[in-house]
Structures are given as structure tokens and as C-alpha cells.
């Protein structure tokens, strides 16, 4: 473990877990292991990573746990957090940039994703582009636009990995639908009824009949952006990527998709 610690002020910890818990570190380590396992590599020592919607969690874990990595670029719409990371992380392998992209939940005043044009990074310079808990908050029009936006930055032979909410029950019992179900069985909260009404409206064991997209709680737009399997796959078409796999949730991650450049 490194002696460099990244103490992120509470005000900059929105969106992720509020407490800087061991669980958060454990989860990031599991996600990194999952990426390596899926891409058939031992570690990230030779990987140049683009982390879109980076938050602070991955950078913090990579730095504090001395994870081998060749290069890491984090992009996010949360400007103050990116400024903080730029100031605090003095390691030439790391770079951070803020983007003014619209997101109803995170950056409602930003520019539409489709109008962004280019990113402040070099083309074809990343072995892995990943987004964790970002598509879980993207509307369908931004889903495809995000994929198109990222495509020029992957190296030939590189991969894209992202997590998302898929509207289906999985054999392991993990995933959005199961966790919501469990949560509301366990908690008799005041707002349970809203969720349960919405839940029964949208949920169907046969995922093929699930609606293409559900913004699960419209009172908190895009807090839970849920896709049918079919729609999640079809939105990749025409973006310059092809789907390698859409995988069931695991302990530290929702469903996740792996794509390669066409
Ligand atoms: C739930 S947090 C996940 C953070 C990080 N990826 C992680 O796994 O800890 C979602 C992050 O995505 C960022 N975000 C949301 N929409 C975005 C967009 N269109 N472009 C870039 N970042 C975005 C938010 O500011 C936030 O930091």
C-alpha cells in the first residue's frame, strides 16, 4: 500500500459513496480485477485507461493501493472535483479534465453531449475506456452519443467497458431489479408506494417485454436509468462499437457491457 493518501473533501464526494469506506476500495479493486479477467490481462501495468465520468473513487484506490497502471485520464462534468484531483495528484501517469456536458442529474446547465465535438485528449491513445455508474444515469439519446463521442480515442484492439442497469432478474439475484425488490421488501418507507407502483408498471420477468427505457424515479431524473436488454444492445449499433458481451451483475457491479471498435 502506498503512503500517498487522497483525502477527498466531503463536498466533492457526491454521486459516489459518501463515506470513504473500505467497501468502496474493495469494490474498485473487484472492478479492476473483473476488467483484467474479461480482457485476459494480469494487471493494468501496460494499460492506458480513459475513465469517463471518473468521480474520484478509482483514482483514489489506484493511488492508495499502488495499482499498476500505465496511464490514467479521468474526465468528469464535476468541475470542482476535477480541479481538486488536478491539484492533489502529482503523478505523471494521471491527468484529469472537466467537461461541460449536460446531464439532468449531475450537470443540468451543461451543453448537450451531441454538441460537444472533441475531447481534450489524443485520438487512438487508450487501451481501455471505462465508465462505471455513468450509463446508469444516461438518457437513451445520450447513451448512443456517449459511445460515438468515445470511439475515436480507443487504440486499435482496445476495449470499452461500462456498467448499466438492465431490466431483468438475473440467476445470481444481483442487479437493479433484484436489489430494488429486496430493498423495498425490507424497508417500509413512506415513498415505497411510488416505487412499487412504478416497479410493477415496468417490471416483467420476461425481459423481452420490458419497456426499452425507464427513468425509474422521475422525481429524481436519471437517478436510475434502466434499459431493456434489447434496447441496451441496439443502442450500440451505428456508434462505431460492437458488443463483445453483456454480462450479468457481480458483487461490486451492475450489468456490464464490453465492446470493441468496429
Ligand atoms: C455515480 S458517479 C460514478 C463515479 C465513478 N465512475 C465511480 O465509479 O465511482 C457518476 C459520475 O459520472 C459523472 N457524469 C455524469 N454524466 C456525465 C457525462 N455526460 N459526462 C461525463 N461525466 C458524467 C458525474 O459527475 C459523476 O461523477
Amino acid at each position: 500500500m502506498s503512503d500517498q493518501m487522497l483525502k477527498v473533501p466531503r463536498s466533492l464526494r457526491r454521486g459516489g459513496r459518501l463515506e470513504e469506506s473500505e467497501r468502496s476500495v474493495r469494490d474498485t479493486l473487484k472492478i479492476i480485477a473483473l476488467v483484467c479477467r474479461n480482457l485476459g490481462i494480469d494487471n493494468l501495468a501496460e494499460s492506458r485507461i480513459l475513465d469517463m465520468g471518473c468521480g474520484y473513487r478509482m483514482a483514489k484506490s489506484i493511488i492508495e493501493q499502488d495499482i499498476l497502471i500505465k496511464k490514467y485520464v479521468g474526465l468528469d462534468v464535476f468541475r470542482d472535483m476535477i480541479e481538486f484531483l488536478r491539484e492533489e495528484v502529482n503523478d505523471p501517469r494521471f491527468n484529469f479534465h472537466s467537461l461541460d456536458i449536460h446531464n439532468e442529474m449531475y450537470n443540468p446547465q451543461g451543453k448537450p453531449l451531441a454538441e460537444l465535438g472533441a475531447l481534450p485528449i489524443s485520438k487512438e491513445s487508450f487501451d481501455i475506456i471505462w465508465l462505471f455508474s455513468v450509463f446508469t444515469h444516461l438518457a437513451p439519446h445520450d447513451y448512443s452519443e456517449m459511445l460515438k463521442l468515445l470511439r475515436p480515442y480507443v487504440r486499435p484492439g482496445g476495449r470499452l467497458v461500462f456498467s448499466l442497469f438492465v431490466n431483468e432478474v438475473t440467476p445470481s439475484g444481483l442487479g437493479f431489479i433484484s436489489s430494488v425488490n429486496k430493498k423495498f421488501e425490507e424497508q417500509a418507507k413512506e415513498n415505497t408506494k411510488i416505487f412499487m407502483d412504478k416497479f410493477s408498471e415496468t417490471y416483467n420477468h420476461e425481459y423481452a417485454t420490458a419497456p426499452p427505457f425507464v427513468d425509474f424515479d422521475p422525481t429524481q431524473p436519471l437517478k436510475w436509468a434502466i434499459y431493456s436488454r434489447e434496447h441496451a444492445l441496439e443502442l450500440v449499433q451505428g456508434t462505431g462499437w460492437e458488443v463483445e458481451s453483456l454480462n450479468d451483475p457481480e458483487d461490486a457491479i451492475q450489468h456490464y457491457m464490453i465492446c470493441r471498435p468496429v
Side-chain angles (χ1 to χ4, degrees):
M1 194 147 117
S2 155
D3 51 8
Q4 202 193 331
M5 299 299 276
L6 191 60
K7 278 267 158 223
V8 183
R10 195 181 171 89
S11 59
L12 302 180
R13 282 188 262 144
R14 74 174 192 198
R17 293 178 196 291
L18 278 184
E19 76 288 8
E20 286 193 34
S21 63
E22 280 178 22
R23 172 142 190 253
S24 179
V25 172
R26 261 205 322 270
D27 284 357
T28 48
L29 298 182
K30 280 185 191 165
I31 292 173
I32 290 171
L34 168 152
V35 169
C36 292
R37 188 185 82 220
N38 275 278
L39 303 193
I41 51 180
D42 293 335
N43 54 46
L44 301 177
E46 294 305 320
S47 299
R48 288 154 279 218
I49 312 271
L50 174 59
D51 188 353
M52 181 69 156
C54 59
Y56 64 87
R57 188 170 71 133
M58 275 293 179
K60 180 175 164 60
S61 292
I62 292 169
I63 291 165
E64 293 184 357
Q65 302 293 313
D66 265 340
I67 306 285
L68 295 172
I69 201 154
K70 185 156 188 167
K71 171 175 158 181
Y72 174 98
V73 175
L75 304 178
D76 204 287
V77 299
F78 191 1
R79 204 185 53 212
D80 292 352
M81 185 204 55
I82 290 293
E83 286 305 313
F84 168 83
L85 292 169
R86 291 179 87 136
E87 272 173 32
E88 293 296 315
V89 179
N90 293 310
D91 180 324
R93 296 170 304 164
F94 288 79
N95 261 296
F96 300 94
H97 303 276
S98 58
L99 304 169
D100 188 25
I101 303 179
H102 173 268
N103 178 285
E104 199 51 39
M105 178 173 170
Y106 286 101
N107 193 26
Q109 308 304 330
K111 288 195 197 90
L113 186 47
E115 288 173 20
L116 193 71
L119 294 173
I121 47 178
S122 307
K123 293 200 168 151
E124 296 197 2
S125 56
F126 296 94
D127 304 291
I128 307 172
I129 300 179
W130 72 34
L131 308 90
F132 297 113
S133 303
V134 176
F135 278 74
T136 47
H137 311 289
L138 286 189
H141 60 276
D142 279 347
Y143 187 122
S144 299
E145 289 304 331
M146 180 64 91
L147 294 174
K148 284 188 211 157
L149 176 69
L150 295 172
R151 173 62 183 84
Y153 303 98
V154 72
R155 295 169 71 90
R159 289 292 183 276
L160 170 76
V161 184
F162 63 95
S163 63
L164 71 163
F165 290 135
V166 177
N167 198 346
E168 65 189 29
V169 171
T170 60
S172 66
L174 295 170
F176 177 77
I177 294 299
S178 322
S179 59
V180 162
N181 205 4
K182 199 158 27 155
K183 180 170 165 193
F184 293 117
E185 268 169 18
E186 283 166 5
Q187 299 173 9
K189 280 199 167 169
E190 229 172 73
N191 60 1
T192 300
K193 187 161 176 339
I194 307 173
F195 285 102
M196 287 314 282
D197 287 351
K198 191 80 198 159
F199 189 67
S200 47
E201 227 174 76
T202 61
Y203 169 70
N204 192 314
H205 278 272
E206 298 299 322
Y207 62 73
T209 65
F213 172 73
V214 181
D215 191 356
F216 191 69
D217 180 9
T219 66
Q220 305 178 77
L222 295 179
K223 184 160 169 113
W224 290 295
I226 307 179
Y227 289 86
S228 70
R229 170 172 284 262
E230 198 181 16
H231 201 43
L233 293 170
E234 75 197 2
L235 284 171
V236 180
Q237 288 166 20
T239 62
W241 298 98
E242 67 185 4
V243 178
E244 195 166 273
S245 58
L246 172 52
N247 305 279
D248 278 355
E250 294 182 24
D251 194 15
I253 192 169
Q254 294 284 344
H255 281 81
Y256 62 98
M257 203 181 289
I258 301 183
C259 298
R260 55 177 166 246
V262 185

